């Protein structure tokens, strides 16, 4: 199928600002799902609130646009409810790491088979450019006009520490790499997280004199290195890209289905959920 | 023959009733005095092929059951005041997205952490107005465990029928007391199945297009119809809309679908009301003391009766008005500072005749407490 | 040899951000007077598809 066949085309052109990286991430998600050959009816997108959350409404899957930060909690209910579904949660950095931080670490800890795609643009875009937990130290936002004295999270390290069994990081510049990572994340059995560094030229770029979308993407190109690169020794300020965690660990829903099987003495066709359709 | 007579705790009854009603998914977070519900279902649900998950907090719990309900499962959670506060945001989401689910709130003393092991009925208004914006909601309660069983099954039935969250507002006394109960056999109480769309694959399905009979058939996530669910004002396809007409119609639909059926939804019981000059109005466990007091006074010739409300929201205004009007006094018995008393005053023709008998100190209201209040309003002194 | 694909630009959806233009390895794209992306040097195009992958507006297709 063509990329367009996955879109709810009547809502296009989309709402995002010119040059916003979120559209590139959405494109990456579509291509990854297309490559996996998933049936549209097998895919559920659960988003939270913010610019990133709009992805859900644009794509022709089962889609939920939920509450700020709560996407992974809703997604956990969907996944445990119907284990055969592929559940993907497109989220923003404020969405996933501030208000949704608790749900993120616990989804990771449980190792529930949900894929979190975090579009990290280091700012709250929808509300007009306030600093987020991913705004780097000294960078500016409308709530930190003198530069933030908050320190930011390292999403990958946080997810790893919390127990995520697949963690990857890339940028909107590295579009091919991103598609592969999202593809592998969805395929991974367990909690998977892909952080995509995404540009917000309208707020983050403007507040921090980073130029237009193109300049910000050049920044991703020049400021990141592949995992294990020797450049990292000379330039520790460079951000590492790549699959940073990829482990096989017992997955929550599978463990639960094993428990049911053990208690009932048979593996029922519960993959379709207990309800008749 | 296996007997179904049990002497069991309230929380166990709520759990058994939920299973009777067909609950398939439970997500929750431990909190006194509701925790036993989670403990029981964590053990029983997997044995029946159902799902139990202990979430990281009450916010996540209710979000998870909304997700599960959309996949077609009957879903519930249980909590108490502080957890109920955390759930309000997502209760609003369930109201807006019309997702059937059941929330048990075993009330305890508040506000805040209050008195975790003491009884109270202070969450009546929170059940009604805890989430923001104009909306309507169904809230049921009961005063004994047999009725609590029935109301729990009813809660699931109404959630499915009206596509709405239903709150079961129990309290610490009811949850922790033990009582003899005969568990109904299969088929004894009607269990409503989810209404699913008959629209075939490939034909447009509108998740928010009301049928002529007022109902909205659902389609499970993972099924053949793909649609959008959002907490934003949305059109009949479930997509966000800023059209004033869409907003107006949606808000009216959400409120009217319940408020227009307030009398149909009214569940109540009458005791000795026929000749009663004085009428007590109560609900939940405080009804027990009210009834005890009435039966004692009746023996002394006092013409006194009781209206027990089992549906608190939508408030059964007409029923209350019909039952209260013409009495010399109406005494509302509850364990809060008059949350239902105010509603009764609003409903009746002569609000000056409506009085409150209450306790708010964590001690269960006794028949003597009610009698004292009655004597006071009759000018007999304390 | 495989036939060369055409770069189709959906002018309704293009917001003129210039990402495709800036990162095209063969400089075959440009923005026109209306600030819409335009395939100006088709003969130099190597069909790498990077413009399509990086377009935030899903406005570019190689067909």
């Amino acid at each position: 199928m063509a990329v367009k066949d996955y879109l709810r085309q009547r809502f296009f052109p989309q709402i995002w600002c010119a040059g916003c990286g979120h559209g590139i991430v959405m494109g990456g998600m579509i291509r990854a799902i297309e490559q996996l050959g998933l049936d549209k009816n097998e895919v559920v997108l659960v988003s939270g609130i913010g610019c990133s959350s709009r992805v859900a409404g644009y794509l022709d899957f089962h889609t939920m646009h939920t509450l700020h930060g709560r996407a992974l909690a809703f997604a956990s209910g969907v996944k445990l409810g119907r284990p055969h579904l592929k559940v993907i949660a497109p989220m923003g950095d404020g969405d996933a790491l501030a208000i949704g931080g608790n749900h993120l670490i616990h989804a990771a800890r449980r190792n529930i088979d949900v894929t979190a795609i975090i579009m990290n643009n280091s700012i709250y875009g929808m509300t007009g450019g306030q600093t987020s937990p991913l705004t780097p130290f000294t960078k500016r936002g409308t709530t930190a006009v003198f530069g933030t004295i908050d320190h930011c999270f390292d999403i990958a390290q946080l997810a790893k520490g919390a127990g995520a069994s697949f963690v990857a990081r890339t940028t909107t510049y590295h579009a091919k790499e991103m598609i592969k990572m999202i593809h592998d994340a969805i395929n991974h059995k367990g909690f998977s997280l892909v952080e995509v560094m995404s540009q917000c030229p309208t707020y983050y770029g403007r507040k921090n004199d980073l130029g237009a979308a193109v300049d910000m993407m050049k920044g991703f190109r020049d400021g990141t290195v592949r995992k294990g690169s020797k450049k990292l020794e000379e330039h520790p300020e460079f951000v590492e890209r790549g699959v940073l965690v990829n482990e096989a660990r017992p997955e929550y829903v599978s463990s639960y289905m094993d428990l049911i099987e053990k208690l009932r003495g048979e593996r029922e066709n519960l993959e379709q959920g207990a309800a008749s359709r | 023959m296996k007997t179904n007579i049990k002497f069991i705790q309230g929380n166990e009854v709520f759990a058994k009733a939920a299973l009777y009603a067909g609950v398939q998914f439970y997500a929750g977070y431990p909190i006194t005095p509701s925790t036993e519900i989670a403990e029981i279902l964590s053990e029983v649900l997997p044995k029946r092929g159902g799902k139990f998950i202990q979430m990281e907090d009450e916010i996540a719990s209710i979000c998870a059951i909304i997700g599960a309900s959309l996949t077609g499962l009957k879903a519930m959670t249980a909590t108490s005041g502080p957890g109920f506060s955390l759930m309000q945001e997502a209760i609003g989401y369930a109201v807006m997205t019309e997702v059937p689910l059941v929330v048990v709130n075993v009330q305890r003393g508040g506000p805040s952490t209050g008195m975790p092991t003491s009884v109270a009925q202070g969450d009546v208004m929170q059940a009604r107005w805890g989430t923001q914006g104009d909306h309507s909601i169904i809230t049921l309660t009961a005063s004994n465990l047999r009725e609590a069983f029935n109301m729990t099954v009813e809660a699931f039935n109404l959630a499915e029928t009206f596509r709405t969250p239903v709150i079961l507002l129990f309290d610490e006394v009811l949850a922790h007391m033990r009582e003899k109960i005969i568990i109904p056999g299969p088929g004894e109480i009607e269990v409503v199945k989810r209404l699913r769309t008959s629209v075939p694959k490939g034909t447009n399905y509108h998740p928010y297009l009301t049928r002529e009979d007022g109902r909205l058939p659902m389609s499970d996530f993972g099924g053949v119809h793909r649609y959008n669910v959002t907490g934003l004002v949305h059109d009949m396809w479930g997509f966000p809309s800023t059209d004033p007409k869409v907003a107006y119609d949606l808000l009216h639909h959400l409120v009217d679908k319940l408020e227009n059926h307030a009398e149909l939804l009214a569940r109540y019981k009458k005791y000795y009301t026929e000749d009663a000059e004085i009428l007590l109005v109560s609900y939940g466990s405080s009804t027990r003391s009210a009834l005890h007091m009435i039966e004692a006074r009746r023996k002394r010739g006092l013409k006194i009766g009781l209206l027990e409300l089992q549906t608190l929201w939508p408030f059964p205004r007409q029923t209350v008005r019909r039952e209260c009007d013409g009495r010399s006094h109406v005494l509302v018995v509850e364990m809060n500072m008059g949350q239902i008393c105010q509603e009764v005053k609003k409903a009746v023709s002569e609000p000056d005749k409506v009085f409150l008998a209450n306790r708010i100190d964590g001690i269960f209201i006794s028949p003597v407490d009610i009698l004292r209040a009655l004597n006071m309003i009759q000018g007999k002194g304390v | 040899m495989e036939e060369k694909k055409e770069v189709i630009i959906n002018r309704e959806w293009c917001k003129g951000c210039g990402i495709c233009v800036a990162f095209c390895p063969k400089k075959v794209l440009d923005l026109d007077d209306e600030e819409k992306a335009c395939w100006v040097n088709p003969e130099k195009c190597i069909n790498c598809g990077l413009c399509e992958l990086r377009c935030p507006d899903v406005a570019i297709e190689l067909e």
Side-chain angles (χ1 to χ4, degrees):
Chain A
M1 270 192 291
V3 169
K4 265 187 176 172
D5 297 331
Y6 290 89
L7 302 179
R8 288 165 170 156
Q9 292 190 32
R10 62 187 183 282
F11 302 119
F12 282 71
Q14 32 81 336
I15 192 178
W16 297 307
C17 305
C20 171
H22 290 6
I24 306 177
V25 182
M26 182 175 75
M29 287 172 61
I30 296 171
R31 290 174 182 102
I33 290 168
E34 202 266 334
Q35 286 175 13
L36 286 164
L38 299 176
D39 186 300
K40 284 181 181 180
N41 288 336
E42 287 180 75
V43 179
V44 181
L45 296 191
V46 186
S47 70
I49 293 292
C51 298
S52 64
S53 72
R54 295 297 173 131
V55 168
Y58 290 138
L59 301 186
D60 184 23
F61 302 112
H62 299 283
T63 57
M64 272 184 100
H65 175 226
T66 69
L67 298 165
H68 197 26
R70 316 285 174 228
L72 289 171
F74 284 94
S76 299
V78 172
K79 181 68 191 179
L80 185 57
R82 286 228 178 174
H84 76 288
L85 296 174
K86 291 284 184 191
V87 183
I88 304 167
M91 293 187 286
D93 50 298
D95 193 35
L97 275 300
I99 191 165
N102 201 31
H103 307 308
L104 177 76
I105 57 173
H106 286 277
R109 175 181 61 79
R110 264 177 217 117
N111 198 31
I112 190 164
D113 191 9
V114 170
T115 300
I117 312 287
I118 302 182
M119 292 159 235
N120 173 13
N121 59 10
S122 305
I123 204 110
Y124 287 93
M126 192 65 95
T127 46
Q130 299 76 30
T131 55
S132 87
L134 268 300
T135 307
F137 188 59
T138 72
K139 294 292 181 188
R140 294 188 295 271
T142 58
T143 46
V145 291
F146 309 111
T148 184
I149 56 170
D150 267 31
H151 295 274
C152 65
F153 275 129
D154 179 325
I155 299 177
Q157 289 301 324
L158 181 75
K160 185 181 173 185
S165 53
F166 184 100
V167 180
R169 177 162 51 214
T170 184
T171 85
T172 50
Y173 176 82
H174 303 90
K176 280 189 178 167
E177 179 181 287
M178 171 176 65
I179 295 166
K180 175 84 168 68
M181 283 180 189
I182 296 175
H183 173 283
D184 293 353
I186 295 170
N187 238 359
H188 177 78
K189 200 171 173 64
F191 185 75
S192 52
L193 183 151
V194 181
E195 173 191 357
V196 186
M197 295 166 68
S198 176
Q199 69 275 12
C200 172
T202 305
Y203 292 111
Y204 190 68
R206 203 150 46 95
K207 291 284 167 199
N208 291 289
D209 305 319
L210 298 174
V214 167
D215 304 304
M216 295 179 80
M217 286 174 74
K218 284 178 181 165
F220 294 152
R221 181 189 64 195
D222 302 335
T224 65
V225 288
R226 277 221 186 102
K227 182 187 163 189
S229 164
K230 287 204 172 133
K231 273 192 204 163
L232 209 54
E233 286 167 23
E234 293 163 42
H235 300 278
E237 75 277 12
F238 281 0
V239 175
E240 208 177 14
R241 299 189 329 269
V243 176
L244 306 173
V245 178
N246 189 359
E247 295 167 359
R249 277 205 297 118
E251 189 273 326
Y252 183 87
V253 178
S254 297
S255 299
Y256 200 92
M257 299 314 279
D258 290 345
L259 172 69
I260 292 179
E261 186 182 2
K262 194 175 133 196
L263 292 170
R264 293 171 71 86
E266 56 184 343
R267 196 155 192 103
E268 279 183 84
N269 185 20
L270 289 163
E271 298 292 320
Q272 303 290 312
S276 58
R277 263 189 264 178
Chain B
M1 203 181 96
K2 197 185 158 194
T3 168
N4 264 335
I5 300 172
K6 308 263 181 205
F7 186 73
I8 51 175
Q9 193 204 43
N11 279 333
E12 194 174 347
V13 171
F14 313 153
K16 280 192 187 302
L19 291 163
Y20 187 97
V23 70
Q24 295 159 304
F25 192 100
Y26 181 101
Y29 187 81
I31 186 168
T32 304
S34 75
T35 308
E36 294 89 346
I37 302 171
E39 289 173 341
I40 293 162
L41 291 175
S42 73
E43 190 180 337
V44 180
L45 275 172
K47 289 181 185 165
R48 297 184 173 207
K51 313 283 171 58
F52 170 94
I53 184 167
Q54 183 169 318
M55 296 300 286
E56 52 273 19
D57 57 25
E58 287 87 348
I59 299 171
S61 302
I62 186 154
C63 294
I65 67 168
I66 294 171
S69 183
L70 280 168
T71 68
L73 305 182
K74 285 192 177 180
M76 77 176 291
T77 185
T79 188
S80 186
F84 194 54
S85 296
L86 288 177
M87 290 180 181
Q88 294 304 328
E89 179 194 33
I91 288 176
Y93 185 84
V95 166
M96 189 60 148
T97 55
E98 302 187 67
V99 173
L101 54 92
V102 173
V103 179
V104 177
N105 174 5
V106 179
Q107 297 171 95
R108 65 190 221 188
S112 188
T113 31
M115 290 182 281
T117 54
S118 299
V119 70
Q121 294 172 321
D123 302 349
V124 173
M125 279 297 162
Q126 193 190 16
R128 176 65 187 88
W129 290 116
T131 197
Q132 88 276 13
D134 282 309
H135 65 280
S136 188
I137 198 148
I138 298 175
T139 301
L140 307 176
T141 184
S143 61
N144 62 58
L145 298 186
R146 172 67 216 228
E147 285 298 320
F149 191 101
N150 294 344
M151 284 301 129
T152 302
V153 178
E154 186 86 279
F156 280 92
N157 288 348
L158 294 177
E160 293 297 337
T161 306
F162 290 92
R163 277 191 65 170
T164 180
V166 176
I167 315 293
L168 278 167
L169 208 55
F170 296 136
D171 56 58
E172 189 276 334
V173 162
L174 206 65
H176 282 162
M177 67 184 235
R178 283 169 192 275
E179 205 167 43
K180 192 180 88 172
I181 170 176
I182 303 166
I183 304 290
E188 264 183 67
I189 309 177
E190 190 201 1
V191 171
V192 173
K193 279 191 181 160
R194 177 161 299 184
L195 178 67
R196 290 185 169 82
T197 182
S198 56
V199 171
K201 184 181 179 176
T203 308
N204 272 341
Y205 161 69
H206 301 95
Y208 296 103
L209 180 64
T210 314
R211 235 165 49 168
E212 257 179 40
D213 61 359
R215 297 196 63 184
L216 284 145
M218 296 185 77
S219 177
D220 301 345
F221 265 34
V224 297
H225 299 295
R226 295 182 300 277
Y227 59 96
N228 190 52
V229 176
T230 177
L232 292 170
V233 165
H234 48 269
D235 57 25
M236 64 180 172
W237 292 278
F239 290 107
S241 170
T242 50
D243 182 339
K245 187 177 181 325
V246 170
Y248 179 91
D249 289 349
L250 176 60
L251 249 72
H252 255 294
H253 162 71
L254 294 177
V255 170
D256 294 351
K257 74 173 182 180
L258 300 181
E259 297 298 326
N260 288 353
H261 294 106
E263 292 312 305
L264 184 84
L265 292 165
R267 306 282 183 276
Y268 57 91
K269 289 201 174 303
K270 298 194 284 185
Y271 304 89
Y272 313 106
T273 56
E274 222 130 271
D275 63 341
E277 288 161 7
I278 300 163
L279 185 75
L280 304 192
V281 178
S282 194
Y283 55 92
S285 64
S286 48
T287 309
R288 303 173 74 90
S289 291
L291 192 57
H292 192 276
M293 177 269 203
I294 285 169
E295 285 173 346
R297 289 291 112 185
R298 276 262 159 196
K299 285 178 188 156
R300 298 190 180 193
L302 189 67
K303 289 186 174 168
I304 185 166
L306 169 68
L307 173 66
E308 179 194 357
L309 301 178
Q310 294 177 308
T311 301
L312 297 182
W313 308 115
F315 193 71
R317 230 168 264 118
Q318 287 177 36
T319 303
V320 168
R321 184 187 177 94
R322 190 178 64 237
E323 294 301 326
C324 292
D325 278 6
R327 317 281 183 185
S328 67
H329 296 93
V330 173
L331 186 60
V332 181
V333 181
E334 55 186 334
M335 287 179 283
N336 58 49
M337 294 175 89
Q339 297 187 22
I340 284 292
C341 186
Q342 291 301 322
E343 290 303 305
V344 174
K345 279 177 182 279
K346 279 197 272 179
V348 300
S349 306
E350 296 176 281
D352 290 352
K353 288 185 177 176
V354 178
F355 298 90
L356 172 67
N358 71 343
R359 272 197 94 127
I360 55 161
D361 55 0
I363 306 292
F364 185 59
I365 193 164
S366 72
V368 176
D369 293 325
I370 303 166
L371 184 61
R372 282 203 193 111
L374 185 65
N375 286 341
M376 207 140 68
I377 62 174
Q378 288 181 306
K380 292 178 184 169
V382 179
Chain C
M1 202 181 101
E2 212 176 307
E3 209 174 307
K4 198 161 170 177
K5 288 177 181 172
E6 261 190 75
V7 175
I8 313 276
I9 290 153
N10 182 339
R11 295 176 62 84
E12 299 288 310
W13 292 7
C14 172
K15 295 195 186 105
C17 66
I19 290 172
C20 56
V21 178
F23 296 117
C24 173
K26 296 290 168 189
K27 302 291 166 207
V28 306
L29 292 150
D30 206 351
L31 293 184
D32 66 14
D33 294 344
E34 291 175 0
E35 297 282 300
K36 301 284 181 191
C38 206
W39 196 33
V40 289
N41 288 316
E43 68 286 351
K44 288 189 191 164
C45 180
I46 53 167
N47 270 197
C48 68
L50 284 170
C51 52
E52 187 181 1
L53 299 186
R54 289 202 184 109
C55 174
D57 296 308
V58 208
I60 304 178
E61 259 184 302
L62 265 63
E63 258 178 23

